[in-house]
Amino acid sequence: MPSKNSKKRFEVQENETIGQCLDRMKREGYRPIRRAEEPIFREETRNGEKVMEPIEKRIVFHAVKE
């Protein structure tokens, strides 16, 4: 059974390409098993109502230890 530390999330940093993130994962001994795009929201008030507006997306890789 895999240990709890065998999984890790890697987020593509602001000034990093997807390829650079994948290289960083490989250097740390991980391989990607899933890619997810998570929206980042900003809360705004419009006409007295709070509205959540997406402003960008974050790319996250779920990885396992090789």
Side-chain angles (χ1 to χ4, degrees), residues 8-21:
K8 188 173 177 180
R9 290 171 40 114
F10 288 84
E11 182 178 327
V12 177
Q13 301 299 311
E14 189 173 319
N15 295 316
E16 181 180 48
T17 65
I18 291 173
Q20 290 169 328
C21 181

